[in-house]
Amino acid sequence: MEASLPPSRPPRCVGPQNCCVTPQPTMASLRAKWALMGVNFFIETNRMEPFLAVYLIEFHKWNPVWIGIVSLVMNGMMLVLQTPAGDFLDRTHYKRLVTASATVVAAVTTASVAWTSELWIIVLLKALEGAAATIFLPALMSLTLAVVPEKAVPHVVGLTETSNKIGSVLFTICAGIISYYLYPDVGAMFFMLGAGGLAAAAFVFIIPAQSIHHDRARSAQNCRASQTESDTHNGGGKTIRYREIFRDRNVVAFALYSFLYHLSNAGIVALVAQSVSHEDLKTGLTFTSAALCIFYFVQAPTSFIVGNNCERFGYKKVLLLGHIMLPVRCAILGVLQLFYPNQYAITATQIFDGLCSGIYDTMLPLVVVRLVRGSGHFGFTFGLMLTCWRLGHGVSWLMSESIYNASSYATAFFVLGGVGLLTMCLLAFGVNIPPAAPEGKENDKLEEKV
């Protein structure tokens, strides 16, 4: 018979069937959820990359290829450090301190763009920012798993993603206002984003330390009769071997999909920002702000809807629905560049980006949870997916800027759309997402592999 626990105590493992008794939400868990929403609202997740491209190209006369080099260096740091960072977060019990420290470093490096436009300094600063940014996403998702029961994770991920996009809308609106009224002194945009990073670091420490379950944070088996309550919080669960992660065909296929998705998608928004800014610098940054506002404004409700309905419709169907909008968007942009290069029309295509990215960004951590449930290596695997994301992102910027420099905007959009079509085929026929585990069976997979 299951034991009766007061609501303020952590889950206790009882009985011979290795099942958990999950208490009702406490004030600490509710406080942790609201703190996570606050962190996501303020945290910097490449909100200023399109502004950075326009700012350096148009105001400091950078060669467009230099932007691709900076992005590749930053994402190269992430490529090297992202997976080890995820693995480190699986192991550390100082998740709050690590997350806050990385956020402060990224805030300072973001603001520093307003101080200098020297290529080698920007490259060094962005390399440092890339190292710090490897902590953000795996840390926030690990903290979410640590403080939220598994069944509530999709809903809470939808809420935190929505909070992040609402914050992005407000930051982008402020950036547009600054760029228009303070033109040509628009460096204040970067100081504003740096201040937001400091606020995010403060919200991290609002998460109560006692509400963090370290085994849940890494998707480890922590519901065994032999474990104590201290084990559940402090990481007493078993883990599978690393090689088992790489032997899983679905993990490898989804990692390849993550790379190709960002290869086809990441460079588009920078090209959109540059194309609407080319004729008039003053209104160009305002149109860039409008393009990002549309993107985030659409992405926010999309994330909320997906988080609340993905279990009902199925993860793969939802992902396919989002991905089909990528080649459609590229085709429209290519045609517009050839026959009707109007700033308003080009900016409006960001609706498709908001829908596509809202679905992908919400589904990515949820799919990883499904793929590695019970393994004890959520952070490592999520870091691996983000490594593929960052690599695709950096190569996409370099590839898209190089194609534009050698040919035209239209050619770049058509090439990126073609890559998107191939990627959609991989998702449809090469990736199998496991179904949700029945209640009480979450740890069977681990017992079979150990």
Side-chain angles (χ1 to χ4, degrees):
M1 182 178 294
E2 294 182 348
S4 177
L5 297 177
S8 61
R9 297 176 66 184
R12 187 178 214 169
C13 302
V14 295
Q17 295 182 344
N18 297 340
C19 60
C20 281
V21 177
T22 303
Q24 295 298 315
T26 64
M27 288 300 296
S29 64
L30 291 174
R31 177 183 165 191
K33 183 175 79 171
W34 284 103
L36 284 169
M37 292 176 66
V39 174
N40 277 273
F41 180 88
F42 285 105
I43 201 163
E44 193 277 324
T45 51
N46 294 328
R47 287 171 174 165
M48 282 298 194
E49 273 196 312
F51 285 105
L52 178 66
V54 174
Y55 178 72
L56 293 175
I57 291 173
E58 303 295 351
F59 285 83
H60 293 283
K61 308 306 178 185
W62 272 35
N63 187 315
V65 175
W66 292 1
I67 294 293
I69 293 172
V70 169
S71 180
L72 186 62
V73 169
M74 181 176 174
N75 285 278
M77 289 296 294
M78 295 180 181
L79 173 67
V80 173
L81 299 176
Q82 186 71 80
T83 303
D87 190 46
F88 172 70
L89 286 162
D90 279 337
R91 299 169 183 272
T92 184
H93 292 174
Y94 298 97
K95 292 179 175 63
R96 297 189 309 162
L97 179 62
V98 171
T99 306
S101 300
T103 304
V104 170
V105 170
V108 173
T109 56
T110 297
S112 65
V113 174
W115 304 333
T116 180
S117 61
E118 291 291 331
L119 175 61
W120 69 272
I121 296 178
I122 296 293
V123 168
L124 289 177
L125 289 173
K126 287 300 174 181
L128 180 60
E129 183 178 337
T134 59
I135 298 296
F136 293 166
L137 294 179
L140 292 176
M141 191 59 201
S142 293
L143 287 170
T144 300
L145 293 176
V147 301
V148 176
E150 183 178 357
K151 285 188 174 181
V153 167
H155 171 69
V156 174
V157 169
L159 286 177
T160 55
E161 282 293 321
T162 302
S163 176
N164 180 262
K165 307 320 171 192
I166 292 173
S168 297
V169 169
L170 295 179
F171 272 90
T172 305
I173 290 174
C174 291
I177 293 172
I178 290 171
S179 68
Y180 189 83
Y181 288 101
L182 297 185
Y183 178 88
D185 186 17
V186 297
M189 293 188 301
F190 300 99
F191 290 115
M192 176 190 64
L193 194 59
L198 297 179
F203 269 97
V204 170
F205 288 107
I206 297 178
I207 301 172
Q210 68 272 17
S211 69
I212 298 176
H213 297 251
H214 292 287
D215 275 341
R216 275 202 332 222
R218 59 195 178 102
S219 286
Q221 180 188 13
N222 61 359
C223 298
R224 303 194 305 276
S226 61
Q227 281 187 286
T228 65
E229 294 171 19
S230 177
D231 289 333
T232 303
H233 273 73
N234 297 325
K238 292 191 293 184
T239 61
I240 66 172
R241 296 178 178 89
Y242 288 100
R243 65 173 177 265
E244 296 296 332
I245 299 292
F246 293 101
R247 287 177 177 173
D248 191 322
R249 186 184 68 86
N250 293 317
V251 171
V252 175
F254 194 72
L256 178 60
Y257 166 74
S258 294
F259 167 75
L260 292 174
Y261 170 81
H262 287 281
L263 177 65
S264 59
N265 183 65
I268 300 174
V269 67
L271 293 177
V272 167
Q274 290 166 221
S275 65
V276 299
S277 303
H278 186 67
E279 294 184 3
D280 187 340
L281 292 183
K282 185 173 181 179
T283 60
L285 281 175
T286 303
F287 270 100
T288 300
S289 177
L292 292 176
C293 281
I294 293 171
F295 167 65
Y296 292 127
F297 186 78
V298 174
Q299 196 176 14
T302 301
S303 297
F304 182 80
I305 293 170
V306 169
N308 283 280
N309 294 279
C310 59
E311 296 284 346
R312 178 170 45 159
F313 292 104
Y315 286 8
K316 190 169 182 177
K317 291 179 181 177
V318 174
L319 273 173
L320 283 170
L321 175 64
H323 193 99
I324 197 172
M325 299 175 194
L326 172 57
V328 170
R329 174 191 175 206
C330 288
I332 293 173
L333 282 167
V335 171
L336 286 174
Q337 289 294 337
L338 288 174
F339 302 106
Y340 188 63
N342 179 271
Q343 288 177 310
Y344 292 94
I346 292 172
T347 302
T349 63
Q350 285 296 99
I351 293 173
F352 292 99
D353 194 17
L355 292 169
C356 182
S357 297
I359 292 173
Y360 177 84
D361 290 354
T362 305
M363 294 304 302
L364 174 62
L366 300 179
V367 171
V368 176
V369 169
R370 287 271 188 94
L371 290 173
V372 300
R373 181 188 288 108
S375 68
H377 292 304
F378 169 80
F380 173 82
T381 310
F382 193 43
L384 175 64
M385 299 301 170
L386 294 176
T387 298
C388 297
W389 171 342
R390 302 302 183 185
L391 178 60
H393 186 102
V395 175
S396 179
W397 271 56
L398 184 60
M399 180 178 74
S400 60
E401 295 290 354
S402 298
I403 294 173
Y404 157 64
N405 207 40
S407 181
S408 65
Y409 285 119
T411 303
F413 287 131
F414 286 133
V415 170
L416 293 173
V419 177
L421 278 174
L422 294 175
T423 307
M424 188 172 65
C425 293
L426 171 64
L427 175 62
F429 304 109
V431 179
N432 179 42
I433 301 173
E439 189 173 359
K441 301 294 184 181
E442 290 87 351
N443 298 310
D444 290 349
K445 179 180 176 181
L446 177 61
E447 293 296 336
E448 292 173 1
K449 289 185 177 180
V450 174

